[in-house]
Amino acid sequence: MVSARLLVLSLFSASLVGSQPTESSQQVSSPPAHPAGEPSLSIDNLSFPWSRLRLPKYIIPLHYHLLLHPNLTSLSFTGSVQIQIDVQNNTNWVVLHSKGLQISKATILDQNLTHLSEQVVLPVLHNPSHEQIGIFSPRVLSSGQKYFLYIEFGAELAEGFYGFYKSTYRTSTGETRTLASTHFEPTSARMAFPCFDEPSFKANFSVRIRRRPEYISLSNMPVIKTVEVSGDLLEDQFAPSVQMSTYLVAFVICDFKSVTGTTSSGVQVSIYAAPEKWQQTHYALEVAVKMLDFYEEFFNIRYPLPKQDLIAIPDFQSGAMENWGLTTYRETSLLYDPLTSSVSDKLWVTMVIGHELAHQWFGNLVTMEWWNDIWLNEGFARYMEYISVEATYPDLKVEEYLLHTCFAAVGHDSLNSSRPISSPAENPTQIKEMFDTVSYDKGACVLHMLRHFLTDEVFQRGIVRYLRKYSYKNAHNQDLWDSLANTCSEEDFISGKHCYSSSQASKNAYLFAGEHLNLTAMMNTWTLQKGIPLVTVTRKGARLLLRQDRFLKTVLPSDPQWSTLQKGFLWHIPLTYKTDSSSTIHRHLMTSPTDSIHIGEEASWVKVNSDMTGYYMVHYEDGGWDVMTKLLSENHTALSYKDRTHLIHNAFQLVTAGHLPLNKALDLIGYLLLETHTVPLLQGLGYLEAFYHLVEKRDESVLTHNLGAYILRFFRAIIDQQTWSDSGTVSERRLRTEVLSLACHLDDPPCVKRARQHFTDWLQSNGTLNLPTDVAETVYSVGAQDDHGWASLLHTYKISLSEAQKHKILYALASSKDTSKLEGLLELGLEGKVIRSQDLSTLILMVARNPKGHYLAWDFVKKNWDTLVQKFQLGSFCIRNIIIGTTSQFSSPEELTEVQSFFESIKEQASQLRATQIALDNVLKNVRWVQRNLETLRKWLNEQMQ
């Protein structure tokens, strides 16, 4: 592939018209205009006028009038678009995006809708490598004037999950029905209509859709009028939209049914699903109405559209998409079936709706200027999931999951292959790769830290100020810091535009620092450099000595490259700590490589990073971990459940990074026999389970057996306490699901016996018995181990109308120890009929998790690599998950070499992906972990088992 900075020549000519601005120039010059009287050129004499990936800035779209006519029989569509444009430089060219569209006609009209030249149909040049078209006007388009660009086009409905694509579903009678839906983010609106497909080109959209009477059509705005075009053809005309980016435009043509409610401010909310799944839409309606009410109050800005539709699309690659006024979802992210959906499924639906509705403000109303700052959309929406669900559904205990979001971010960010939150991204593959753990999870955790640093009130006022100031506009990182730190003009302050004076800001916001603090300088250390800091703490009498380094899991301090990888990294860390001599949470801003704080002689222990509100790791040097182990074993409730969980996480991460011996971390979790809170319990159990999954895939039968026996013995009381029901609090139900799943995986006789009995009862009822949802996956997994059970589950999978149930069954089918069954499943996934393509990446990871399917999944990916890339697109999260997920359990030098050689064989694609480097880092991390810790684990287990 030719780099974005090189000139990509048009297919038509080797010469380029017009001067080329440098990458950094703000003023983009247009290709030179031809004199108005010059005769029209034939297409052969023209060369593509633009060589950059980003469109010229001197033509601004104002309003799109879009007409679409999809044909769900021929699976194609035709359309026309009239775009009002504002020309800001003299030019003969209009360059915009188009991908895979057949352009049948293009013309340019003046403000009076008069053709500019006798040549009505204008030449259209294509530059497929940049997904751009250039339309040539023989008469110059004058600076300061507005024109209408009119284009007619057509295409097949796309295969896959981007652009304007087809989806199907089966009714209970076996009939296949077709619908057409859209997914444009980040760069696929250009697959549905020619457009200026960059987030800063905000415009209004007036949409018309033609359909047969048996279908309905939906778009961002409500239908204002339906007219009959001919006997069996209707045209829905939608109200003009607010100003928005192209990636938020959406339309669906389907035969779905809906339920409707109204928010307290009068917004009409509807949930759409396939007719036979209509019963599963009621919970989503309740959530969406509550959430919209919550956000209107929290942001103090009215939702600006008259309606919000939420629709479950049967074929959907991501979890959901925030199209303004028409949010689209995977069925598992929107539909809730009380008979088959577990409490975790319910929480997931609630959080996804919270995420997409947060985007109606963060992302839709205020949009990042360019994709390098996508975290401004996704980090905020991820964080608002927690704030919104905690406010609207406190019984779901969503705050118990925030730690795990931050732990996921740490896992990624402690590898050298991580990236800064704000990173360059130019081409579509690079842009797709920005939708990752860093943008979502690290973004959310950095915002969480900032909220605690500034206080809830200051944070909330700052983001309201940001949303108001940049409504219907685009913003950068800096704009957010300015809104939060409140560096606004005296004029703004006097006019009451949501500003404090700077002296007020000093008093309110900066509890950490005596003097006014440079918030930009602080936050740049978190968004413009990659990685996570490790704060090493040493007690010296009344003082605490502090040192910050970059935390890396693949490189040890003793390695030669250590100093190179540490060079230049420094964070402004808002430290918090707690001691036993005071109930106060103390604060200190660390802005230098080393520092010290006075804590007093009387404190017998100090816990740094209270409740893990800060995004940094902590290492207690010189016996500090022994103090923590003693505290947990003698008086664990002196610390909050979040602090206990944080200690467990940090200890095991430090083991991986080579800062702490494994036996110290294992000793630390010895206190879990006394633990009653689900979150720390599952954190400790999770590490033991991870070690088990790693060693069971190696030739280590004795070690595997001993570790399994130890886990069952250590957690015996907790396992025995579990009931096979759906009773209890959300936390208790989550614990039940995890604990029983692991116990049965470890072949615990009482667990397997109970699960088998439930499965037999379910089989005998012919699937009419509803299993307790919290244990259904475990019951199915035990039942799937024999031929009859597996075949019965596959049959149920084919006919079930509940996506929640199907997901649990798929997991069970993939847990079979029969490799021919696993191979058959993967082939079904590749075929995409019984198991949908959207579920293929999940299936591959399920098979890879199975010790019997471990290499099978990897071989499948290697063999079908080109097909997978074609299905999901390079850079998509599906490809990323497949690459990282299938290799994440490899732990030998031979496996590392094997992965490297495969990536070498697909070098042209692998070199474009960050995911391949992450996968290699992960395997290297595992190899080093095994080399350092396997003998320690063996020895420690032998001591425990005596």
Side-chain angles (χ1 to χ4, degrees):
M1 293 259 311
V2 185
S3 152
R5 283 191 167 80
L6 297 177
L7 302 184
V8 177
L9 302 182
S10 149
L11 297 181
F12 300 97
S13 167
S15 69
L16 284 158
V17 179
S19 59
Q20 291 310 318
T22 59
E23 284 292 323
S24 58
S25 73
Q26 293 302 302
Q27 284 299 310
V28 178
S29 58
S30 56
H34 295 270
E38 188 174 309
S40 66
L41 295 166
S42 79
I43 202 163
D44 299 328
N45 298 333
L46 296 171
S47 60
F48 201 83
W50 191 249
S51 68
R52 298 175 64 186
L53 273 167
R54 302 271 286 271
L55 294 177
K57 297 283 186 214
Y58 53 79
I59 293 186
I60 313 292
L62 303 174
H63 199 133
Y64 292 76
H65 288 268
L66 179 62
L67 169 65
L68 286 161
H69 181 187
N71 184 325
L72 298 187
T73 308
S74 66
L75 302 178
S76 60
F77 66 95
T78 54
S80 65
V81 65
Q82 180 183 285
I83 312 171
Q84 186 183 27
I85 55 173
D86 183 1
V87 175
Q88 300 187 344
N89 274 6
N90 285 357
T91 183
N92 290 82
W93 287 97
V94 180
V95 178
L96 69 165
H97 287 112
S98 174
K99 182 184 178 185
L101 299 173
Q102 301 296 319
I103 309 290
S104 53
K105 179 182 177 184
T107 189
I108 298 174
L109 311 165
D110 64 17
Q111 279 287 67
N112 304 317
L113 298 179
T114 312
H115 287 285
L116 290 189
S117 67
E118 292 163 22
Q119 188 181 353
V120 173
V121 178
L122 301 177
V124 180
L125 267 59
H126 294 257
N127 182 356
S129 64
H130 286 185
E131 302 174 356
Q132 292 170 359
I133 54 172
I135 296 167
F136 177 75
S137 167
R139 197 171 125 197
V140 69
L141 305 179
S142 306
S143 178
Q145 297 297 306
K146 294 183 176 64
Y147 297 89
F148 290 99
L149 175 62
Y150 176 80
I151 305 173
E152 292 177 5
F153 55 91
E156 302 296 308
L157 286 171
E159 295 281 342
F161 307 96
Y162 292 100
F164 193 14
Y165 70 94
K166 71 165 178 127
S167 174
T168 58
Y169 71 94
R170 276 166 68 90
T171 66
S172 55
T173 58
E175 183 193 349
T176 297
R177 295 197 180 163
T178 304
L179 60 141
S181 182
T182 57
H183 185 101
F184 292 162
E185 190 180 34
T187 59
S188 295
R190 62 193 71 170
M191 293 172 69
F193 59 100
C195 57
F196 297 79
D197 200 10
E198 294 177 8
S200 61
F201 288 120
K202 290 193 170 187
N204 302 95
F205 295 82
S206 295
V207 176
R208 292 179 296 148
I209 294 176
R210 292 184 174 173
R211 61 173 172 88
R212 289 164 62 94
E214 63 266 32
Y215 294 103
I216 58 166
S217 74
L218 301 169
S219 188
N220 305 81
M221 300 298 288
V223 173
I224 44 174
K225 190 177 174 189
T226 299
V227 296
E228 192 176 305
V229 181
S230 63
D232 62 347
L233 193 62
L234 303 175
E235 181 179 291
D236 290 329
Q237 301 177 355
F238 295 87
S241 75
V242 294
Q243 265 198 303
M244 63 184 189
S245 305
T246 46
Y247 77 86
L248 294 169
V249 176
F251 26 90
V252 181
I253 297 86
C254 63
D255 63 351
F256 285 6
K257 285 197 159 51
S258 64
V259 290
T260 300
T262 309
T263 67
S264 53
S265 63
V267 177
Q268 187 172 302
V269 179
S270 302
I271 316 292
Y272 287 84
E276 290 177 292
K277 296 181 179 180
W278 179 80
Q279 291 294 347
Q280 301 174 42
T281 57
H282 299 280
Y283 177 66
L285 180 64
E286 176 200 307
V287 173
V289 169
K290 260 192 183 184
M291 288 282 185
L292 272 178
D293 279 339
F294 166 76
Y295 281 133
E296 284 199 324
E297 188 180 335
F298 186 87
F299 293 134
N300 196 18
I301 297 171
R302 290 287 291 270
Y303 173 73
L305 308 187
K307 62 93 176 175
Q308 171 65 244
D309 296 332
L310 299 84
I311 183 166
I313 306 293
D315 297 284
F316 202 84
Q317 183 174 330
S318 56
M321 176 60 209
E322 67 267 19
N323 319 299
W324 215 343
L326 175 57
T327 50
T328 48
Y329 298 77
R330 226 179 224 246
E331 290 184 329
T332 46
S333 301
L334 189 68
L335 304 181
Y336 175 76
D337 174 17
L339 299 177
T340 56
S341 299
S342 68
V343 72
S344 298
D345 298 328
K346 187 176 197 176
L347 177 65
W348 174 249
V349 167
T350 317
M351 290 178 80
V352 175
I353 294 172
H355 181 103
E356 302 313 325
L357 295 184
H359 271 312
Q360 307 301 298
W361 286 263
F362 271 104
N364 299 10
L365 185 64
V366 179
T367 312
M368 72 279 140
E369 179 74 24
W370 183 249
W371 302 106
N372 61 311
D373 279 334
I374 186 60
W375 85 277
L376 288 173
N377 283 18
E378 298 303 347
F380 255 110
R382 173 59 47 94
Y383 190 42
M384 290 309 299
E385 292 172 27
Y386 293 96
I387 292 175
S388 63
V389 177
E390 199 171 337
T392 52
Y393 290 90
D395 57 313
L396 287 178
K397 295 279 186 237
V398 73
E399 72 278 4
E400 294 182 0
Y401 287 78
L402 180 59
L403 287 176
H404 293 279
T405 293
C406 299
F407 295 162
V410 172
H412 186 102
D413 221 14
S414 51
L415 303 175
N416 194 40
S417 49
S418 187
R419 65 170 181 86
I421 282 179
S422 190
S423 301
E426 290 298 322
N427 68 43
T429 296
Q430 291 166 348
I431 291 166
K432 281 191 191 79
E433 275 215 302
M434 293 293 286
F435 292 79
D436 65 358
T437 307
V438 173
S439 289
Y440 286 73
D441 298 340
K442 182 178 179 179
C445 296
V446 165
L447 289 169
H448 183 59
M449 174 170 69
L450 185 58
R451 182 184 178 207
H452 278 265
F453 176 60
L454 297 176
T455 71
D456 290 4
E457 185 195 4
V458 172
F459 180 79
Q460 188 174 348
R461 282 191 197 168
I463 60 176
V464 169
R465 193 157 49 238
Y466 168 79
L467 289 171
R468 283 185 184 275
K469 185 169 182 180
Y470 297 100
S471 287
Y472 306 105
K473 299 192 187 87
N474 298 79
H476 300 270
N477 260 347
Q478 187 62 49
D479 300 321
L480 178 62
W481 311 146
D482 289 347
S483 297
L484 285 164
N486 195 50
T487 49
C488 46
S489 68
E490 203 57 36
E491 183 189 338
D492 277 348
F493 180 65
I494 292 162
S495 65
K497 288 189 183 165
H498 304 273
C499 288
Y500 305 127
S501 64
S502 54
S503 61
Q504 176 86 23
S506 302
K507 273 184 271 182
N508 275 13
Y510 308 116
L511 304 177
F512 282 75
E515 71 281 3
H516 190 70
L517 171 128
N518 183 341
L519 190 65
T520 299
M522 172 183 160
M523 293 314 296
N524 281 350
T525 71
W526 297 100
T527 58
L528 302 185
Q529 67 181 349
K530 67 180 179 180
I532 177 170
L534 169 66
V535 176
T536 302
V537 177
T538 314
R539 181 75 185 267
K540 280 279 186 289
R543 298 199 75 72
L544 209 55
L545 307 185
L546 308 169
R547 183 181 83 246
Q548 62 161 295
D549 298 290
R550 179 181 170 201
F551 179 63
L552 282 167
K553 283 198 294 207
T554 46
V555 184
L556 298 173
S558 55
D559 291 341
Q561 68 266 47
W562 172 262
S563 56
T564 312
L565 292 172
Q566 291 291 338
K567 202 171 179 183
F569 283 86
L570 179 73
W571 287 267
H572 291 188
I573 309 173
L575 291 176
T576 53
Y577 62 95
K578 185 179 181 226
T579 69
D580 60 335
S581 56
S582 151
S583 59
T584 311
I585 291 177
H586 304 275
R587 298 162 179 266
H588 175 77
L589 189 64
M590 182 180 184
T591 56
S592 54
T594 58
D595 205 345
S596 71
I597 39 184
H598 180 83
I599 57 163
E601 296 279 0
E602 65 280 7
S604 62
W605 55 263
V606 57
K607 161 70 179 66
V608 180
N609 197 357
S610 297
D611 286 347
M612 200 186 163
T613 49
Y615 185 70
Y616 57 94
M617 305 291 291
V618 183
H619 178 34
Y620 301 92
E621 230 171 26
D622 296 347
W625 280 105
D626 296 335
V627 174
M628 288 301 162
T629 301
K630 184 168 182 282
L631 172 63
L632 288 176
S633 63
E634 291 175 1
N635 184 20
H636 68 279
T637 53
L639 297 174
S640 70
Y641 84 83
K642 289 180 182 175
D643 274 336
R644 303 194 298 269
T645 309
H646 179 238
L647 282 173
I648 294 167
H649 171 263
N650 276 216
F652 282 100
Q653 294 296 313
L654 289 163
V655 169
T656 305
H659 296 286
L660 192 68
L662 176 61
N663 54 306
K664 293 271 189 196
L666 290 167
D667 290 344
L668 180 90
I669 60 170
Y671 96 94
L672 287 175
L673 288 170
L674 311 165
E675 184 59 81
T676 55
H677 199 287
T678 295
V679 178
L681 265 174
L682 288 181
Q683 191 65 30
L685 183 61
Y687 281 112
L688 294 175
E689 185 177 357
F691 300 158
Y692 184 85
H693 286 308
L694 198 68
V695 298
E696 74 172 340
K697 293 183 180 71
R698 298 173 61 85
D699 189 15
E700 291 279 359
S701 55
V702 176
L703 180 58
T704 303
H705 174 267
N706 286 351
L707 180 54
Y710 172 75
I711 293 170
L712 289 174
R713 195 181 79 182
F714 187 79
F715 289 100
R716 184 80 262 158
I718 289 166
I719 296 167
D720 291 346
Q721 282 164 18
Q722 304 310 314
T723 59
W724 293 68
S725 68
D726 282 341
S727 62
T729 64
V730 171
S731 295
E732 287 163 352
R733 293 179 65 182
R734 186 176 151 212
L735 183 67
R736 170 189 301 132
T737 299
E738 300 285 344
V739 165
L740 292 178
S741 171
L742 181 59
C744 280
H745 180 73
L746 297 176
D747 293 323
D748 179 43
C751 183
V752 173
K753 184 183 174 187
R754 190 72 187 269
R756 200 165 275 140
Q757 185 56 55
H758 274 288
F759 188 72
T760 305
D761 294 345
W762 178 76
L763 272 185
Q764 286 172 351
S765 76
N766 224 355
T768 56
L769 174 78
N770 289 306
L771 292 167
T773 59
D774 298 341
V775 295
E777 189 171 270
T778 299
V779 171
Y780 293 146
S781 297
V782 170
Q785 299 313 314
D786 67 56
D787 290 351
H788 176 58
W790 199 88
S792 303
L793 284 164
L794 184 59
H795 172 71
T796 305
Y797 183 87
K798 288 175 182 175
I799 60 169
S800 174
L801 287 172
S802 162
E803 286 300 312
Q805 182 185 37
K806 287 176 73 170
H807 183 83
K808 294 172 182 62
I809 291 175
L810 192 61
Y811 181 89
L813 292 169
S815 72
S816 171
K817 295 181 176 60
D818 181 339
T819 53
S820 64
K821 287 189 172 67
L822 299 178
E823 284 171 345
L825 271 184
L826 290 169
E827 288 306 321
L828 283 176
L830 196 64
E831 185 191 33
K833 289 177 183 164
V834 174
I835 298 171
R836 290 179 182 274
S837 293
Q838 67 168 18
D839 299 318
L840 177 56
S841 63
T842 306
L843 172 64
I844 292 170
L845 299 199
M846 286 171 173
V847 173
R849 200 166 174 266
N850 180 342
K852 296 289 185 192
H854 182 41
Y855 291 120
L856 222 137
W858 171 241
D859 289 340
F860 175 83
V861 170
K862 288 190 296 182
K863 180 182 160 193
N864 297 290
W865 173 253
D866 291 336
T867 310
L868 293 171
V869 170
Q870 197 181 338
K871 272 183 188 291
F872 299 119
Q873 295 199 6
L874 206 59
S876 67
F877 83 94
C878 277
I879 290 293
R880 182 165 65 244
N881 287 350
I882 288 168
I883 290 172
I884 297 169
T886 49
T887 54
S888 65
Q889 296 281 290
F890 289 155
S891 62
S892 71
E894 296 75 23
E895 288 166 334
L896 179 58
T897 307
E898 151 73 19
V899 175
Q900 283 168 327
S901 68
F902 174 63
F903 290 163
E904 190 61 34
S905 75
I906 54 160
K907 195 173 184 178
E908 191 181 331
Q909 291 162 320
S911 62
Q912 298 178 58
L913 294 175
R914 196 177 282 110
T916 49
Q917 200 48 53
I918 295 165
L920 288 170
D921 269 2
N922 261 328
V923 180
L924 177 62
K925 174 198 76 182
N926 292 346
V927 169
R928 297 201 115 185
W929 190 93
V930 166
Q931 288 168 347
R932 274 203 307 271
N933 298 302
L934 212 60
E935 290 314 308
T936 311
L937 180 61
R938 208 187 306 277
K939 189 176 160 202
W940 188 86
L941 279 172
N942 287 339
E943 288 167 5
Q944 302 300 314
M945 301 303 278
Q946 282 168 7

